[in-house]
Each structure stands twice: as structure tokens, then as C-alpha cells.
Amino acid sequence: MNSALILVVEDDSSIAEDIRNRLKGMGYEILVVHTGEDAIRHAGEIAPDLLLIDINLQGNIDGVETAAYISSRWDIPLIYLTDYSDETKLEESKATSPMAYLTKPLKDRELQINIEMALRRHRIGNLQKASEEKYKAIFENSRDAIFCIDEQGTIVDVNHALENSFGYKKAEVMDKHFAEIELAIPEMKEEMIGLYEKALAGKLNYWVYSEIIHKDGRRIFIESCHDPIKLENGKRGILVIMRDVTRRKEAEQAIIERNELLNAQNEQLRAIEEYSPEAVARVDRHHRHLYVNAAQAKSTGIPQDEWIGKTSRELGFPKDICTLGENAIDEVFRTGKAKRLEISFPDGQSFDSILSPELDTEGKVKAVISSSRDITARKQIENELRQSREALRASLEASPYAIGVMNLQGIITYVSPQTIRMFGYENVEEMLGRNLSDFVAETSREKTAHNFQEILREGISRDTEYDALKKDGTPFAASISAAVIRDVSGKPISIIGFTKDITDRKRAEEEEARSRALEELDRMKTALLASVSHELRTPLTSIKGLASTLLQPDVSWDHQTQQEFLYEIDQAANRLTYIVSDLIDMSQLEAGTMRMENMPIKLSTILNKINRQLTTATQKHKFEIKAAYDLPIIDCDEVRIGHVITNLVSNAASYSDEGTTITLEARRAGEKIEVSVTDRGIGIAQNELERVFDRFYRLETGVTRRRGGSGLGLSICKGIIERHGGKIWAESHEGKGSRFTFTLPAYKIFDD
Ligand code: ADP
């Protein structure tokens, strides 16, 4: 490589020119200058590869001074040109470390060899310097402590990392035997020397793990490597690189402990899996079983060891179930996420399985663990429940009853299709959310409200009739049976009602009642005819007989006898009048045409008005009135009620002996007035007590026959009292007397 640039410094122009030509001929690039100043200036600018300089340079600065200056500034190899030997100059020039001295006149070969040698040595020197620098940099900047130890075991160099890593200053170890320094553990001395000798022989080509003592007293773990080297003095030695691995050791220890813990946990998990009541299996990505627990073996009837290494398919499980399972396993392997699966076998056995990924240390799925619970019983119950729900739904829909469910506030929450039809609605939505009262006619609202309370109280109510209301407002007769629906704790949550349209039944009942009424009327007419014909005939016969007797032309009756006959006729006519008026009253009551002229009145006022009749009727008896002082005012038809009282008093007189006492009592009974008539007469047999109020009913005793009567009196009384909203009844002891009592509601000033 001849392209080197050479700076030639020569004051003799002809020699300079000669050198230029020769060097050019050798292929070098040349710059020739004649003074030291020029040389210094150009050396900085062109950075020549070599300086060829005349040692005896003329001018301000000579060759040695120029070379010394240049060498101190730049790293340029130097060759001196000499023509005579000036010993002092030569001595001076040595300090500038020239590569060679060439004596003029120059020989070509000598010139070229020396130039080439100088260039080469300079290059090598540079390389060496660089590698030394590099080594030094590594040595000083290393984070590992580096020791140089000579053949005697003395530490000849050590870097700064010693202090950083282990706390010792360089001076503390320098020039000491490596096994004697503080850092070394005394009981390991022999071992260290053994290692050292091995290293010196070049046989320790592995990392050594041992312990040393840190300056702060701790024993710390180190790793070190030992290599034989040639020391600066050319002798053998070793280089020890030492590193603190306590952290790593601790980390390793932690990993070991964690692994032990994991293993212990895994052991526990295995034990849990093994004895779990759930069937547990572990499968690989080829669906082969790595493990199954006792429960899985038991539920399938396949022993635990027979599973291992086999797929469900190989074990003969149904194909479609295997496919389902395999797809799920593949998915868990793919996604790393757990998956839930429900499996039903053809024999009805069902399992609820959870497939979860088992991860390796890198977080990859290494197996899938399936844990399955036998849900056959639950499934069966669910099925039965579904069936019974279905059956319930079907029966609700097929039922002829209108079925509705409402909550405890009476809000409709369910209606059956029949309900929609019965109440004339279009669809379910129209009915849901409405209140029960929307489906009840005004006339029955109060009744249904009571019924609702009764259901809540009693839990059930049967066949309550009411007037239901269609969507278009038409009422219809209905009957409802209802029951409370309770939650598991027995708390009522809603009410289910079964409604029947009873319009037809009602009509039939009315029809029947009407025909019964007609029959009754018929029977009554017959009885009336029989009774009336008899009862009318008796007075008529006596009227006719007495009148005919009086009218006999051939007999003349004295005044007294005439008067007696006329009195009898008058009495008989009275009886006829009573009978006829009773008949009229009766027929009016029957037909519902009897008019009541109610007004608020005191009982005493009524008694005053009928005083004469009462006295006449009881003139042969002792008649007494016992009235309480706090009697309420009553709302009644005074004439009719007067009639009732007269009737009861005259009956009492008729059926008791003369001279006995007849008592009329009146008292308040809550919101009512109670009036009774008591006699000490013949009384009435217990079994007849009810019937005395029947129409035309008469007890055929001697007294009654003697007295005569239509048998209508008490039934008219009953009709009148009931029309007033009161009650009438009889009590009696045969042979001792009777008591007839009636009640009437008190007059309410404010009708609440
Ligand atoms: P009558 O016109 O026959 O009195 P009622 O309807 O008044 O008709 O009475 C029906 C029957 O009740 C009477 O025939 C009688 O047998 C019986 N009866 C009514 N009042 C009394 C009484 N105070 N004591 C006993 N029997 C009575």
C-alpha cells in the first residue's frame, strides 16, 4: 500500500527534489517543505502518514525541535535524514522516538524498506494501543470485580467494581495474597488455592459458584471465572472475574420455594379433585384423558385407569355427545377461556359441565379440566314442572270458566281466553292491568269488595253470585269461586278466580220460581175457595137465617128479640168485612202491590190511635202495656203496623181464657224497636210455631173452631213486617201461653 502521504522536510532543494522524484517513483504521495515552521503548519493540515525530516534543518527551528513539536501534537511516525554524525544532536533526537535514521546519500532500497517498516510498526503500535485502551476501558468500567493475580498468588491489579460490588477499596487488597484478603472466607482457603492452581494450568474453564464476605460482614453468593493471562512483566498469572449473584440466588430460591408451594397446592388440588363429588377429568388437546377422579369413574361405570390415554369416543360414548365435548375442548384450548356445557345422555342422565383451561408457566393451555355435576334429578323436576305448567296452561285455556288472576290490590295479572270472550273484550292486553271493579256492575261492587276480603281472610270462597259487567257495559249474572295463591312461605301473593256465566241458570231459576209461585197461587186459590166458601158461608148463613126470621110475615117479634137478632146480623157482617179485607190485603201482598205510606212516628202514637180496638178486643181480659222510656222513632206505615198489633192482641185474646193477662211490651234493641204480645193461653205446639205464619194455616183445635177465622191474619202480619225490613216470630209453651214478637228498624235521621 504505497498510497501513504509523506511529508518531507529538507532545506537543500536539490536533495529535496531528488527525494521527491524517488518517492514518487515508489508510488507515495509527497509534500516537500524546506523549513520547520512550514512542516509544523502542514503536519496539522494534511495529517501525513510519515515525516521524513533532515535532522540538521537550517532556520529558526532545527529538525529535532520540529520533530519534537510535531510528535507532541500528532501521532506521526518519524524518520531522520542525517549526513554526518553529530553525537549531541543524535542524543537529543532519541527523545522524539524516531523509527529510523537514514544517512545521506540515500539508497533507494534502504529508503523504501525503512519507510515501509516505519509505517507498519506505527500501525501495529496503534492497534496495540487501541486494544490496550479497550482492555483498560473494560477493566475499569466492568460491573464485575476483576482481579489480576500473579504466579505467587499476589493481587497485582483490581478494578473499581470491587468497591461497588463488595465494598473493599483497591488498596485493601493490592499486593496481598488472594487467599489472605478480608474478602476470602478462611475455611475456604484450600479450595480457593486449588481453584487457582487449576486456573493457572488453564484447566478451569467453567464458572465457579462460591461465597465471599462483603465488607459489611454479609456472606454473599458469587460466581467467578478464572483465566490464565500473561501479565505486563511477561510473567504468567490469572484474571479472575467475580460477580455478586446473591439477588439471582435469592430469586432462584424464591422460585424453588414457589415451585414447592405450587407442588403442594397441586397435591391438594389433586386430592380435592379425587374426592370431589363432582366428576372431574383432565384431557389433552387430542381429547385423551390424562386423569379422571373417582366420581367420574363411578358415574360412568368405567374404572379410573381405563380412562387414561383414551378419548371418550374410544371408550364408546355416543358420537354426537363426543362431538359436542370435543368441540368444547378445542374451544377452550383455542381461547384459553372456561366454557359451560350441558350434556344429556339418551338414557336421561344429564350433566352440567364446566371446562376450564389448565395453564403452563407461560400461560399457554396445557390441558382442559372438566368438572361435571349430575343434574338428572333437577332436569327431571324441571321437565315435570314444565309439563305440569303446560297442563295447567292447557286446562286454563280449555276451561269453560273465565279464569283470572289478580294481585292483592285487585289488579288483573292474567286472564284465560274464555275470560276475554265472556266479558266481551278483544284481547288480553285490554283486560290486564285493570282493576277487578271494572268487571263488576255497580249493583254488586259492595258485595264483591266483601267477597274479596273474605277470600283474603278464609283463603277461599265458593259460588258467590254477582252481576258482572261486559266491556260494552251490559251486566250479566255470574258466579265466582276464588282462592288465594300463596308463595312458598305461605304468604298470599295473588288470587285466582273462576267465573261462570249463570244468566241461563238464573233465568231457569226465575222461571221455576215463577211457576212455583203460580202453583202456590193455584193452591192458594183452592185453599181460599175452600176456606172462604166455608168462612163466608157461616156469617152469610146466620145473616140470611136471622134476616129471614125477622121478615116472617106471620110472626111479630118483640123489640128486645129484634134488637138481639140485628146485633147478630151486624156481627156476622163485620166478620165478612174482616175476611174480605184480609183477602184483599193478602192478594195485594202476593202481587206486591200493597202500598206502604211510611213516615217517622212514635210507637205510642200508633198505640193511641188503635186504643179503642185494643180495649174492645181485650175487654174480657187484663190488658197491660209496658213500654221502655228510650224507644226510638220508627219509620213505618202507621195504619199497617196498627193492624199488625191489633191482630196479635186479638189473637192473644181469642186463644186465652177470659180474665187472664195479655201484655204488650215495647223496648229498644240496638238500632231496632222490639214489640211483643204475650198471653197466658193455650199455646202452640213447638212443631207448629213456624207454620202459624203460613197462609190459611189454622190449628184445628176446639177453640179455633169455635172462634173461626181465615188463617190469613198472621201471614198478612208477616208480609207487612217484612216489607218494613223487620222480623216476626212466635215462642210458646203449650198450655201456658204464647208470645208473638216483631222488630222494626229505627228511623235514621241521616241515612249512612
Ligand atoms: P185465625 O184467623 O185462624 O186466627 P191466624 O193467621 O191469625 O188465623 O192464626 C193462625 C193460627 O195460629 C190460628 O188458627 C191459631 O191456631 C194459631 N194462633 C194464633 N195466635 C195464637 C195464640 N196467641 N195462641 C195460640 N194459638 C194461636
Side-chain angles (χ1 to χ4, degrees):
M1 59 158 217
N2 287 347
S3 60
L5 172 61
I6 299 174
L7 178 62
V8 179
V9 193
E10 176 57 67
D11 49 6
D12 184 328
S13 305
S14 62
I15 296 174
E17 210 45 41
D18 172 53
I19 293 172
R20 181 207 298 273
N21 291 333
R22 286 209 251 168
L23 291 181
K24 250 202 176 133
M26 291 170 201
Y28 297 111
E29 281 183 52
I30 320 289
L31 178 68
V32 177
V33 293
H34 303 291
T35 63
E37 287 90 337
D38 279 351
I40 289 169
R41 200 173 59 244
H42 283 100
E45 280 170 14
I46 63 168
D49 295 308
L50 184 78
L51 185 66
L52 200 61
I53 186 165
D54 181 6
I55 202 166
N56 296 311
L57 201 60
Q58 300 299 310
N60 291 335
I61 42 178
D62 71 5
V64 177
E65 284 168 337
T66 306
Y69 184 85
I70 290 175
S71 297
S72 72
R73 303 281 304 267
W74 302 287
D75 183 24
I76 302 170
L78 159 77
I79 295 177
Y80 283 115
L81 300 174
T82 60
D83 40 8
Y84 59 91
S85 35
D86 173 346
E87 285 303 319
T88 5
K89 228 179 205 127
L90 280 175
E91 210 44 49
E92 274 173 25
S93 72
K94 274 182 191 162
T96 57
S97 312
M99 292 285 183
Y101 295 89
L102 295 178
T103 320
K104 296 182 225 177
L106 300 165
K107 294 186 190 93
D108 268 359
R109 189 162 167 68
E110 196 186 2
L111 184 64
Q112 190 171 13
I113 286 173
N114 276 292
I115 288 174
E116 280 306 308
M117 284 287 288
L119 286 172
R120 206 184 134 107
R121 270 181 28 218
H122 182 71
R123 242 187 336 263
I124 290 170
N126 271 350
L127 280 175
Q128 214 166 0
K129 220 186 287 163
S131 91
E132 256 166 39
E133 268 163 20
K134 213 189 284 169
Y135 163 77
K136 225 177 158 159
I138 292 172
F139 185 80
E140 285 308 335
N141 297 322
S142 170
R143 302 225 272 163
D144 300 330
I146 304 174
F147 296 84
C148 290
I149 303 173
D150 69 8
E151 250 175 321
Q152 280 72 47
T154 309
I155 296 169
V156 293
D157 202 0
V158 71
N159 68 352
H160 288 300
L162 175 72
E163 190 175 350
N164 296 339
S165 298
F166 307 119
Y168 298 96
K169 291 222 163 23
K170 188 171 177 174
E172 288 179 276
V173 301
M174 275 300 276
D175 304 321
K176 287 187 181 151
H177 192 276
F178 69 86
E180 309 284 321
I181 54 174
E182 257 183 274
L183 176 147
I185 295 173
E187 54 272 29
M188 289 173 79
K189 189 171 172 179
E190 261 172 56
E191 198 182 321
M192 284 171 78
I193 291 171
L195 284 170
Y196 168 76
E197 279 165 3
K198 215 170 167 186
L200 212 53
K203 286 179 184 159
L204 192 65
N205 45 9
Y206 50 85
W207 287 88
V208 173
Y209 293 91
S210 56
E211 287 173 66
I212 57 143
I213 303 168
H214 192 279
K215 182 76 186 171
D216 65 13
R218 276 183 300 136
R219 274 170 87 122
I220 55 175
F221 292 99
I222 55 149
E223 74 180 4
S224 55
C225 75
H226 311 245
D227 285 301
I229 48 158
K230 196 164 258 174
L231 297 173
E232 272 167 19
N233 55 13
K235 295 221 173 117
R236 293 191 312 142
I238 63 165
L239 187 78
V240 179
I241 302 177
M242 200 183 269
R243 178 178 297 170
D244 180 354
V245 292
T246 313
R247 278 264 187 73
R248 204 172 76 199
K249 267 275 184 194
E250 280 168 1
E252 277 169 11
Q253 190 59 33
I255 288 171
I256 290 168
E257 280 167 15
R258 201 194 64 179
N259 282 346
E260 276 168 6
L261 189 73
L262 278 177
N263 283 341
Q265 283 175 346
N266 278 345
E267 278 305 305
Q268 283 173 2
L269 277 178
R270 296 282 172 275
I272 292 170
E273 278 174 5
E274 184 60 27
Y275 300 111
S276 163
E278 295 196 0
V280 177
R282 186 179 296 111
V283 287
D284 67 11
R285 62 175 63 249
H286 307 294
H287 316 128
R288 287 184 301 236
H289 289 86
L290 303 171
Y291 164 81
V292 299
N293 72 348
Q296 172 122 347
K298 193 169 167 222
S299 76
T300 53
I302 302 174
Q304 267 175 293
D305 48 350
E306 275 182 38
W307 286 85
I308 309 306
K310 294 204 189 99
T311 64
S312 298
R313 218 173 265 275
E314 288 162 353
L315 287 164
F317 284 93
K319 288 204 173 54
D320 49 342
I321 289 174
C322 291
T323 312
L324 197 72
E326 287 162 5
N327 288 344
I329 292 167
D330 292 347
E331 192 182 321
V332 177
F333 267 108
R334 205 170 51 244
T335 61
K337 291 207 181 93
K339 186 174 167 61
R340 195 166 188 160
L341 194 65
E342 216 174 277
I343 300 171
S344 294
F345 285 92
D347 66 356
Q349 249 199 326
S350 298
F351 291 91
D352 180 11
S353 305
I354 290 175
L355 305 184
S356 15
E358 185 179 321
L359 304 178
D360 63 15
T361 46
E362 281 164 23
K364 285 207 200 101
V365 185
K366 66 171 181 189
V368 168
I369 297 173
S370 84
S371 162
S372 311
R373 180 184 304 216
D374 189 337
I375 52 163
T376 314
R378 197 189 79 195
K379 273 270 151 183
Q380 254 163 18
I381 292 172
E382 272 175 17
N383 273 341
E384 279 160 23
L385 210 66
R386 198 175 306 127
Q387 277 168 17
S388 72
R389 219 179 274 140
E390 198 42 43
L392 184 68
R393 192 194 59 78
S395 52
L396 287 179
E397 300 203 339
S399 170
Y401 286 98
I403 302 170
V405 177
M406 63 201 121
N407 65 18
L408 301 186
Q409 285 71 49
I411 304 297
I412 309 295
T413 56
Y414 168 85
V415 288
S416 69
Q418 174 63 8
T419 317
I420 306 170
R421 283 193 287 276
M422 192 180 286
F423 285 82
Y425 282 82
E426 307 290 327
N427 52 44
V428 185
E429 287 70 35
E430 273 191 331
M431 299 191 81
L432 294 186
R434 283 174 177 264
N435 196 288
L436 170 69
S437 59
D438 290 354
F439 308 101
V440 176
E442 187 65 49
T443 44
S444 291
R445 294 256 163 91
E446 203 176 323
K447 189 175 178 182
T448 17
H450 276 122
N451 190 225
F452 196 87
Q453 294 309 323
E454 186 192 323
I455 298 163
L456 288 181
R457 214 170 44 242
E458 312 285 337
I460 195 159
S461 93
R462 289 201 177 81
D463 294 327
T464 309
E465 290 183 9
Y466 72 106
D467 293 326
L469 199 62
K470 291 198 179 188
K471 185 188 174 187
D472 64 10
T474 4
F476 66 98
S479 142
I480 185 166
S481 294
V484 159
I485 302 176
R486 298 172 194 277
D487 66 10
V488 276
S489 68
K491 208 177 95 206
I493 46 170
S494 47
I495 292 173
I496 183 164
F498 300 78
T499 303
K500 206 154 122 188
D501 183 340
I502 54 166
T503 314
D504 293 344
R505 195 183 85 193
K506 272 276 167 194
R507 205 171 289 144
E509 274 173 14
E510 275 164 21
E511 210 59 51
E512 202 190 306
R514 205 172 303 132
S515 74
R516 227 185 296 124
L518 282 175
E519 269 170 36
E520 176 66 16
L521 202 66
D522 218 39
R523 198 183 64 76
M524 194 179 95
K525 276 184 196 148
T526 317
L528 179 74
L529 282 177
S531 166
V532 164
S533 49
H534 172 76
E535 292 305 322
L536 289 178
R537 177 165 302 160
T538 314
L540 269 178
T541 309
S542 64
I543 291 170
K544 173 71 183 154
L546 290 167
S548 299
T549 309
L550 281 178
L551 288 173
Q552 268 181 8
D554 48 340
V555 188
S556 85
W557 304 95
D558 60 56
H559 181 70
Q560 165 105 28
T561 311
Q562 279 180 28
Q563 280 303 310
E564 281 171 11
F565 279 14
L566 285 173
Y567 178 74
E568 287 291 327
I569 288 168
D570 188 45
Q571 285 295 308
N574 275 348
R575 274 222 305 284
L576 277 176
T577 310
Y578 289 141
I579 291 169
V580 170
S581 110
D582 275 358
L583 281 173
I584 290 168
D585 282 354
M586 193 66 237
S587 64
Q588 278 182 350
L589 275 171
E590 288 288 339
T593 54
M594 182 182 278
R595 277 172 57 92
M596 297 289 163
E597 312 234 330
N598 280 21
M599 58 186 290
I601 192 163
K602 282 196 208 157
L603 180 73
S604 54
T605 314
I606 300 174
L607 291 181
N608 280 339
K609 291 199 174 169
I610 56 168
N611 186 36
R612 210 171 56 83
Q613 284 101 305
L614 295 180
T615 333
T616 315
T618 56
Q619 55 190 334
K620 292 175 181 157
H621 291 76
K622 283 187 213 133
F623 181 58
E624 54 183 23
I625 295 176
K626 291 182 183 169
Y629 64 90
D630 64 342
L631 287 182
I633 292 175
I634 42 178
D635 179 26
C636 68
D637 182 325
E638 52 170 317
V639 180
R640 305 277 181 207
I641 296 302
H643 181 79
V644 170
I645 296 171
T646 316
N647 210 316
L648 293 179
V649 172
S650 65
N651 270 355
S654 299
Y655 302 108
S656 61
D657 290 339
E658 291 180 9
T660 57
T661 311
I662 293 168
T663 316
L664 187 147
E665 278 169 288
R667 59 188 190 90
R668 173 194 269 276
E671 295 298 298
K672 286 174 287 196
I673 185 169
E674 204 174 87
V675 181
S676 62
V677 177
T678 312
D679 64 52
R680 281 84 182 158
I682 58 168
I684 306 163
Q686 284 302 310
N687 58 345
E688 307 282 359
L689 278 176
E690 280 291 319
R691 304 192 60 196
V692 295
F693 294 99
D694 285 356
R695 282 178 299 242
F696 303 117
Y697 189 81
R698 303 199 69 221
L699 287 170
E700 295 303 319
T701 62
V703 187
T704 48
R705 225 169 293 126
R706 230 179 13 258
R707 177 192 177 265
S710 63
L712 281 174
L714 284 177
S715 77
I716 290 169
C717 290
K718 189 172 184 236
I720 290 168
I721 293 299
E722 285 178 356
R723 280 289 301 277
H724 278 83
K727 271 189 189 162
I728 185 163
W729 68 94
E731 299 154 283
S732 183
H733 287 290
E734 241 185 324
K736 290 199 171 158
S738 313
R739 167 181 291 167
F740 282 80
T741 311
F742 67 84
T743 60
L744 285 174
Y747 173 69
K748 285 185 195 157
I749 298 173
F750 299 109
D751 201 345
D752 52 23

